[in-house]
Amino acid sequence: MARPQKQGLDYFPLDVVCNGKIELIEAEFGLTGFAVVVKLFQRIYGERGYYCEWTDEVALLFGKKNGLGGNAVSEIVGASIKRGIFDKAMFEKYGILTSVGIQERYFEAVNRRKLVCVKEEYLLISYTQFSNCVSNNRVNVDINPENDDNNPQSKVKESKVKESKVNKSKVEESRGEERKENKSIVNEKKKIKQ
């Protein structure tokens, strides 16, 4: 039985230096605001990849799961929408959290997938930019002999290792001699004690 096609991502890029929008959320709500936004990104990228549904019930469960009240989460989400972290029109029309940046990063990450299912009405970007992943790609890089993931390297002939076998046997002999010497020293100590 074939494995179902994955929709979301296992990881997503997070800039080292946050933009002014996220800094304003952090200034207003402290590290809790920053953490909620990053947790929302995890939810978006991890589940559907480019959006997540957002209702009062979802906010309440999200808050409970992350140790906050639903009202605190709703305030942070509202401020994030106001500051443009999430698209206001999409939230008001469809009740989803998404943005141009989220969608660009998602489609860049999945551009090697054979097929990505999207809801066209949720898209803020032209999917023709990423048409190689939104529809079935004509050239599958996993089958194409010119796969750019494979780095052609010359094979090096493996040499036979007679020298190391000789060295290994010499090492074993010297260890055997060391053991004999250690035993004789122990025996001499025993004789002295008696």
Side-chain angles (χ1 to χ4, degrees):
M1 190 166 158
R3 193 173 7 177
Q5 182 72 27
K6 185 174 178 91
Q7 182 74 18
L9 304 175
D10 291 328
Y11 60 91
F12 65 94
L14 182 64
D15 293 333
V16 181
V17 178
C18 295
N19 63 22
K21 298 172 185 178
I22 293 179
E23 285 180 354
L24 285 169
I25 294 296
E26 190 174 342
E28 186 176 347
F29 298 99
L31 287 176
T32 302
F34 176 80
V36 167
V37 170
V38 171
K39 286 292 214 176
L40 287 169
F41 287 158
Q42 287 178 325
R43 181 182 176 94
I44 291 167
Y45 289 117
E47 289 180 3
R48 299 229 169 70
Y50 63 101
Y51 77 95
C52 77
E53 295 173 356
W54 196 256
T55 63
D56 291 337
E57 291 80 20
V58 172
L60 188 61
L61 292 173
F62 182 86
K64 181 179 184 275
K65 182 179 176 184
N66 292 294
L68 298 169
N71 291 336
V73 172
S74 293
E75 283 182 49
I76 294 168
V77 169
S80 299
I81 291 169
K82 176 180 146 188
R83 296 208 167 81
I85 295 172
F86 303 114
D87 188 81
K88 184 177 182 177
M90 286 292 175
F91 177 73
E92 290 173 351
K93 188 172 183 179
Y94 299 109
I96 63 168
L97 298 177
T98 190
S99 72
V100 171
I102 289 169
Q103 291 183 9
E104 286 175 343
R105 283 185 288 279
Y106 173 72
F107 287 115
E108 186 178 320
V110 298
N111 69 356
R112 291 273 174 98
R113 291 186 184 173
K114 290 182 183 180
L115 181 67
V116 177
C117 298
V118 298
K119 293 187 177 184
E120 205 169 333
E121 63 269 18
Y122 290 176
L123 294 181
L124 294 167
I125 59 175
S126 170
Y127 67 86
T128 56
Q129 289 175 257
F130 305 98
S131 61
N132 64 333
C133 67
V134 175
S135 63
N136 203 359
N137 189 358
R138 290 184 191 143
V139 179
N140 184 349
V141 295
D142 296 327
I143 299 170
N144 187 3
E146 296 298 322
N147 188 342
D148 63 352
D149 286 340
N150 293 335
N151 185 5
Q153 297 179 354
S154 62
K155 290 188 177 183
V156 177
K157 290 184 181 180
E158 293 183 26
S159 62
K160 294 186 179 182
V161 192
K162 288 184 180 178
E163 293 174 349
S164 65
K165 287 182 182 177
V166 171
N167 291 341
K168 187 176 179 181
S169 63
K170 287 182 180 178
V171 169
E172 287 175 0
E173 286 176 17
S174 65
R175 285 185 183 161
E177 290 174 13
E178 286 176 15
R179 287 184 190 131
K180 287 179 186 176
E181 288 175 16
N182 288 340
K183 282 183 181 179
S184 65
I185 292 171
V186 170
N187 288 336
E188 286 179 26
K189 286 183 179 179
K190 284 181 181 178
K191 288 178 184 177
I192 293 173
K193 285 183 181 179
Q194 294 174 352

